């Protein structure tokens, strides 16, 4: 393997790396504090599009993790950035929560169910049959289909919940149209995030708990990748994938001294 440049900036997933079911993972506070003190560019990422960065900042602060709003990057922000680049000042019919609608409002998009340019599907706890039916009809009428992320399930204290990818599959089955996913593992989310903080992939690292999203996105974006074993991917599963992370560590606590 060719020698990489020293790591100057860090991207890290949130759930499974820094927190788990609303509780900080040991070492997360030290890692975030070290990043902030170092002055290095960094982002905390999430594929969940429900919350705005301001919401997530407040939630993390309540857990004792002080992450500035400008250091939080969501799939909703990545989706909005993509749409702003593709079709500035466009319109969209949105199924999602404040994280997604706010991101689209902020780029000047009109949210409408009248002949929209796009149907944009994100995370919500209240997927309705009426909204999905409307999405199907708008896509059949020519609206382009965009999704914030392909995650099929999301975590909850009661167990897995159907997520954006599962609902997208339903709409695809009804329309025959595949969506474009803006979030991980699409490296677009990583590259737009890196651009936001003025960082370069060859001197950046991605930390995640999932081989199929975090590590894959990091590899495809050209970054060094760290897999932590505090989330979804188990040690025995790593060899099942046709790609490997740069390093596998037990938890975020093992990365603190690398910052």
């Amino acid at each position: 393997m060719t020698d990489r440049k020293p790591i100057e900036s860090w991207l890290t997933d949130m759930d499974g790396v820094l927190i788990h079911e609303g509780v900080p993972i040991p070492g997360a506070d030290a890692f975030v504090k070290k990043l902030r003190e170092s002055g290095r560019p960094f982002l905390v990422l999430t594929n969940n599009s429900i919350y705005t960065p301001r919401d997530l900042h407040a939630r993390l602060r309540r857990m004792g993790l002080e992450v500035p709003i400008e250091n939080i990057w969501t799939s909703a922000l990545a989706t909005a950035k993509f749409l702003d680049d593709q079709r500035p000042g466009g319109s969209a019919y949105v199924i999602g929560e404040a994280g997604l609608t706010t991101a689209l409002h902020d780029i000047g998009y009109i949210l409408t169910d009248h002949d929209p340019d796009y149907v944009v599907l994100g995370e919500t706890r209240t997927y309705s049959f009426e909204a999905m039916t409307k999405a199907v009809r708008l896509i059949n009428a020519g609206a382009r289909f965009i999704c914030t992320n392909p995650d099929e399930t999301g975590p909850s204290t009661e167990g897995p919940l159907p997520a954006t990818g599962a609902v997208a599959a339903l709409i695809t089955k009804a329309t025959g149209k595949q969506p474009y996913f803006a979030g991980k593992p699409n490296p677009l989310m990583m590259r737009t995030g890196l651009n936001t903080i003025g960082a370069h992939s060859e001197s950046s690292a991605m930390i995640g708990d999932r081989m199929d999203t975090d590590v894959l996105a990091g590899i495809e974006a050209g970054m060094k990748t760290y897999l932590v074993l505090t989330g979804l991917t188990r040690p025995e599963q790593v060899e099942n994938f046709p790609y490997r992370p740069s390093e596998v560590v037990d938890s975020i606590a093992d990365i603190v001294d690398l910052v």
Side-chain angles (χ1 to χ4, degrees):
M1 183 180 293
T2 58
D3 290 337
R4 294 186 61 92
K5 293 182 179 180
I7 298 172
E8 297 293 340
S9 53
W10 293 85
L11 275 63
T12 177
D13 188 39
M14 186 170 65
D15 293 306
V17 179
L18 300 180
I19 62 173
H20 178 67
E21 293 183 357
V23 178
I25 290 171
D29 54 345
F31 177 73
V32 172
K33 183 180 179 183
K34 189 85 174 290
L35 277 176
R36 296 187 67 207
E37 290 175 346
S38 73
R40 296 185 189 280
F42 75 95
L43 283 178
V44 173
L45 297 94
T46 178
N47 251 3
N48 191 313
S49 63
I50 290 179
Y51 304 106
T52 66
R54 189 178 299 275
D55 295 332
L56 292 170
H57 165 76
R59 295 182 75 213
L60 290 168
R61 173 179 271 182
R62 286 196 298 271
M63 298 177 206
L65 301 177
E66 189 61 45
V67 181
I69 294 170
E70 61 270 20
N71 294 105
I72 296 173
W73 191 247
T74 71
S75 64
L77 293 175
T79 300
K81 180 69 173 67
F82 171 74
L83 293 181
D84 193 34
D85 289 342
Q86 290 283 304
R87 191 177 292 263
S91 60
Y93 175 67
V94 178
I95 300 176
E97 302 284 346
L100 181 55
T101 56
T102 299
L104 292 175
H105 271 303
D106 286 348
I107 62 165
Y109 255 55
I110 296 170
L111 306 189
T112 180
D113 62 359
H114 179 68
D115 193 25
D117 297 315
Y118 298 97
V119 166
V120 183
L121 174 66
E123 221 82 58
T124 176
R125 293 288 184 261
T126 56
Y127 288 113
S128 77
F129 185 77
E130 180 183 359
M132 287 186 281
T133 299
K134 186 168 290 187
V136 166
R137 290 172 179 168
L138 290 171
I139 291 167
N140 282 336
R144 302 150 188 87
F145 187 18
I146 302 289
C147 288
T148 57
N149 67 83
D151 298 22
E152 295 163 354
T153 60
S156 79
T157 52
E158 295 83 22
L161 296 170
T164 308
V167 179
L170 182 154
I171 295 174
T172 292
K173 198 71 174 177
T175 62
K177 302 287 179 62
Q178 294 284 345
Y180 181 79
F181 293 104
K184 298 176 294 181
N186 189 342
L188 172 84
M189 182 171 176
M190 323 301 279
R191 293 189 182 280
T192 53
L194 289 170
N195 290 340
T196 299
I197 58 174
H200 301 284
S201 59
E202 64 267 24
S203 58
S204 300
M206 173 65 195
I207 309 165
D209 70 305
R210 292 183 60 156
M211 286 288 290
D212 58 343
T213 55
D214 305 319
V215 171
L216 179 57
I219 290 172
E220 292 190 347
M223 294 188 285
K224 183 168 184 175
T225 54
Y226 290 87
L227 176 73
V228 297
L229 301 176
T230 48
L232 287 177
T233 301
R234 307 313 315 146
E236 63 275 10
Q237 296 174 318
V238 176
E239 292 297 332
N240 296 336
F241 292 86
Y243 48 86
R244 291 184 55 83
S246 306
E247 293 190 36
V248 179
V249 298
D250 289 334
S251 77
I252 193 69
D254 299 306
I255 302 178
V256 175
D257 290 339
L258 300 180
V259 176

